[in-house]
Amino acid sequence: MTETREYDIIVVGGGMVGASLACALAGSGVRVGVIEAVAFQSDTQPSYDDRVIALSCGSSRILRAMGVWPALEREGVTPIERIHISDRGRFGAARLDSKTEGVEALGYVVESRVFGKVFGPALARAEGVDLLCPARLKSFDISPRRVRVLVEHEGKVRDLRAGLLVAADGGQSVVREQQQIKLWRAGYGQTAIIANVTPEKNHANVAYERFTDTGPLALLPMTENRCSLVWTAHDAEVPALLDLNNQAFLRRLQERFGNRLGAFQEVGRRVAYPLSLMHVRERVRPRLAIIGNAAHLLHPVAGQGFNLGLRDVAVLAETVSDASRAGQDVGDMVVLKKYSDARRGDYLRTTSFTDGLVRTFSNNIFPLTVMRDAGLVALDVLPPLKHLLARQAMGLAGRLSRLERGLPL
Ligand SMILES: Cc1cc2nc3c(=O)[nH]c(=O)nc-3n(C[C@H](O)[C@H](O)[C@H](O)COP(=O)(O)OP(=O)(O)OC[C@H]3O[C@@H](n4cnc5c(N)ncnc54)[C@H](O)[C@@H]3O)c2cc1C
């Protein structure tokens, strides 16, 4: 028999962004149903996987306001106290420091799996949130008056109804595809290889961003003096890099990164992620909002993807809870347009910042290399410029939502 359930919002995808939205709305009076296909701690979970996330200061504030920060800290959060940006084989370098910026940390490093460990139980006990996981989305229908979703969960078909459908189902979003939302997409011809490595010296909570002729290479400080490596390489180079044995891989890494952290001693499992830039042409439609990776894919060079998705969450949660308190229909275009308009500036800033970094630093055209060296030196010696970059990297540029200011919804 089919069971019917009523919500205000149905979120498809309980990955890092969808789960954050449900946690943000917990206790707000907005009833949320979350449909997630894969169990949170499963080895095949595509969101809570081997990636390691550099969280901006702004994101840490959102997660604190949502009440999940203490649990994340218990599982493992590493503060970033300094960022060192350099250009391999050239003289330019810039440094950002948490002390100069007057903050406890420039950002924090958290493993994606840690998010899975924390979000699973947090959603199970969240007030007003109903988690259906693992559940299979059978079909959905968006009509002018409501949203209807059929899911298979615990061997039963459930008929879910709501005023708003939120697509948080990642880069291959089925909801987005079925709604035929047009995309803007560009390839980089680059793939990120990620792995955890252990250096000889103490990482001292420094994050390194090193630009090389084949693409950027980042090392983020982690617990137990490990570093999370994100090595961006041309697509054609990737199979050979994955095939190298551990010793040969570490030698190649040493050659690319240099000796700032001494000799690299160990490397964990290597996983490859092809990279592209994508964003949807419409973020909202009547009774539909698209957030997180379903709405935008970014190069991981500046570690902005989840941070941007979390800011989607903060603004959407604020907009729908205000609308619900005012007795408005949360799926109405007046409400959704308010959300979409509020997000436009951040999308433009973050996308152009990230894309600009990749394109400027991924080639060897002579005037550009001189300009970027001069740019890095200028950045290092001009405090206002440095402060501006730090604000963008810390996720504190532009208008801040209530959750980012540490206030309740
Ligand atoms: C190498 C790499 C490094 C990165 N580093 C950083 C970083 O340092 N900082 C940062 O901010 N960002 C970083 N990112 C980006 C970040 O990983 C993503 O922005 C983030 O994972 C997006 O989360 P999401 O929930 O939107 O999508 P996803 O993580 O893709 O989650 C989607 C969820 O939806 C579920 N789902 C899909 N289809 C369905 C369906 N039909 N029914 C039910 N459920 C469904 C999936 O099972 C999954 O749980 C990095 C990305 C890469 C590739």
Side-chain angles (χ1 to χ4, degrees):
M1 208 182 92
T2 307
E3 184 198 335
T4 304
R5 293 186 189 181
E6 292 279 346
Y7 305 103
D8 296 304
I9 300 179
I10 295 170
V11 183
V12 180
M16 299 216 295
V17 170
S20 300
L21 178 64
C23 282
L25 285 167
S28 68
V30 178
R31 294 163 304 160
V32 185
V34 180
I35 304 164
E36 169 54 49
V38 187
F40 281 63
Q41 306 246 22
S42 156
D43 283 346
T44 56
Q45 224 303 331
S47 196
Y48 310 113
D49 63 0
D50 286 339
R51 270 169 291 186
V52 170
I53 301 294
L55 284 175
S56 69
C57 220
S59 291
S60 74
R61 288 186 190 170
I62 296 174
L63 294 162
R64 276 178 226 264
M66 279 162 43
V68 294
W69 191 254
L72 289 171
E73 279 195 314
R74 275 195 300 278
E75 293 294 336
V77 170
T78 308
I80 301 174
E81 287 168 14
R82 278 173 294 145
I83 301 178
H84 185 279
I85 310 167
S86 59
D87 201 357
R88 181 177 177 263
R90 310 196 61 85
F91 64 85
R95 296 153 195 90
L96 304 176
D97 196 317
S98 57
K99 288 197 187 78
T100 322
E101 294 305 320
V103 288
E104 176 198 283
L106 292 169
Y108 299 87
V109 181
V110 183
E111 292 170 63
S112 293
R113 285 190 205 287
V114 163
F115 279 103
K117 268 191 188 172
V118 169
F119 280 143
L123 288 190
R125 59 170 186 265
E127 189 191 326
V129 176
D130 191 10
L131 173 65
L132 293 91
C133 174
R136 196 174 73 81
L137 177 70
K138 281 172 68 78
S139 64
F140 68 92
D141 173 59
I142 301 177
S143 69
R145 293 173 60 84
R146 63 161 190 203
V147 172
R148 197 171 161 208
V149 180
L150 287 183
V151 288
E152 230 174 74
H153 177 235
E154 293 172 338
K156 294 193 184 116
V157 175
R158 307 206 195 274
D159 181 351
L160 314 181
R161 290 147 195 227
L164 173 66
L165 184 68
V166 176
D169 50 348
Q172 309 294 325
S173 170
V174 169
V175 175
R176 184 189 71 208
E177 271 163 34
Q178 285 196 14
Q179 289 296 295
Q180 300 184 337
I181 305 276
K182 290 207 172 70
L183 305 180
W184 187 92
R185 197 187 271 277
Y188 287 113
Q190 293 180 347
T191 293
I193 298 175
I194 63 154
N196 295 340
V197 294
T198 308
E200 183 185 7
K201 292 186 188 167
N202 187 343
H203 60 50
N205 295 78
V206 181
Y208 293 90
E209 184 77 72
R210 192 152 170 75
F211 293 97
T212 79
D213 48 359
T214 58
L217 191 152
L219 277 172
L220 301 172
M222 292 173 73
T223 52
E224 297 157 23
N225 201 42
R226 293 168 304 153
C227 291
S228 158
L229 168 71
V230 184
W231 181 340
T232 314
H234 292 314
D235 290 341
E237 278 184 282
V238 172
L241 280 170
L242 291 175
D243 280 349
L244 290 175
N245 66 35
N246 285 354
Q247 288 314 316
F249 182 80
L250 287 177
R251 270 199 304 278
R252 286 286 290 279
L253 172 63
Q254 200 83 55
E255 191 187 295
R256 292 264 114 188
F257 180 75
N259 286 314
R260 269 197 185 86
L261 285 170
F264 289 107
Q265 322 264 307
E266 278 177 58
V267 57
R269 191 157 78 107
R270 283 167 256 163
V271 184
Y273 293 85
L275 304 176
S276 63
L277 175 67
M278 177 285 280
H279 60 82
V280 287
R281 290 191 188 272
E282 288 166 277
R283 278 184 290 276
V284 294
R285 273 188 184 175
R287 306 212 173 278
L288 175 67
I290 306 171
I291 63 171
N293 267 22
H296 42 71
L297 290 174
L298 296 177
H299 194 295
V301 61
Q304 298 274 331
F306 177 55
N307 291 305
L308 186 64
L310 206 50
R311 295 198 291 273
D312 286 344
V313 163
V315 178
L316 186 58
E318 182 175 316
T319 314
V320 296
S321 65
D322 284 351
S324 162
R325 270 196 287 267
Q328 280 176 288
D329 174 352
V330 295
D332 192 287
M333 263 320 257
V334 174
V335 175
L336 296 177
K337 196 166 171 318
K338 196 170 158 203
Y339 157 73
S340 171
D341 288 349
R343 296 298 297 131
R344 188 166 296 123
D346 189 16
Y347 275 116
L348 278 175
R349 253 192 327 272
T350 307
T351 309
S352 44
F353 171 69
T354 303
D355 194 46
L357 270 182
V358 181
R359 298 198 190 276
T360 312
F361 284 94
S362 293
N363 68 64
N364 277 326
I365 301 165
F366 171 67
L368 213 58
T369 56
V370 174
M371 270 166 61
R372 73 191 191 211
D373 284 344
L376 282 178
V377 172
L379 186 65
D380 206 38
V381 297
L382 292 175
L385 201 61
K386 209 171 186 168
H387 183 62
L388 213 67
L389 176 77
R391 302 295 293 174
Q392 176 66 38
M394 288 192 292
L396 298 177
R399 182 192 166 274
L400 301 184
S401 60
R402 286 210 285 274
L403 290 177
E404 274 171 291
R405 283 179 281 143
L407 303 171
L409 283 183

